[in-house]
Amino acid sequence: MVSQKVVIKNPTGLHLRPAGILCKEAMQFKSLITFQFRENTANAKSVLSVLGACVKSGDEIELFCEGEDEQEALSTLVQAVESGLGE
């Protein structure tokens, strides 16, 4: 398992469009991909789970990837979040 903390840069946080982009990126990988925000853990492959985490701009999440392509998955998702998830 690999993990990394990343700060959400989108001005509106993880609302529907960036949540959808995050899920689309995560679904490319076989690994189990989750993130932790405060005490909650969300499945990065589920739009409803991502939206339910209520992540706002400037919040820090920790991404966790576990599986055969975990390292590639983590670097791809960190890069997507840092680039603003399409915003």
Side-chain angles (χ1 to χ4, degrees), residues 26-37:
M27 287 164 69
Q28 298 177 59
F29 301 99
K30 294 178 181 174
S31 296
L32 172 66
I33 302 170
T34 59
F35 68 85
Q36 193 163 12
F37 175 61

Side-chain angles (χ1 to χ4, degrees), residues 8-27:
I8 301 301
K9 296 181 178 174
N10 305 47
T12 52
L14 289 182
H15 62 88
L16 190 56
R17 191 176 352 149
I21 292 170
L22 180 68
C23 291
K24 185 178 166 201
E25 292 289 332
M27 287 164 69

Side-chain angles (χ1 to χ4, degrees), residues 1-66:
M1 177 189 280
V2 293
S3 68
Q4 184 174 334
K5 291 185 178 180
V6 64
V7 175
I8 301 301
K9 296 181 178 174
N10 305 47
T12 52
L14 289 182
H15 62 88
L16 190 56
R17 191 176 352 149
I21 292 170
L22 180 68
C23 291
K24 185 178 166 201
E25 292 289 332
M27 287 164 69
Q28 298 177 59
F29 301 99
K30 294 178 181 174
S31 296
L32 172 66
I33 302 170
T34 59
F35 68 85
Q36 193 163 12
F37 175 61
R38 296 194 179 123
E39 303 85 45
N40 301 324
T41 301
N43 178 357
K45 295 184 181 183
S46 164
V47 174
L48 289 176
S49 186
V50 173
L51 290 173
C54 299
V55 179
K56 308 282 184 246
S57 180
D59 287 341
E60 183 180 71
I61 63 171
E62 186 169 7
L63 287 162
F64 294 91
C65 301
E66 185 173 8

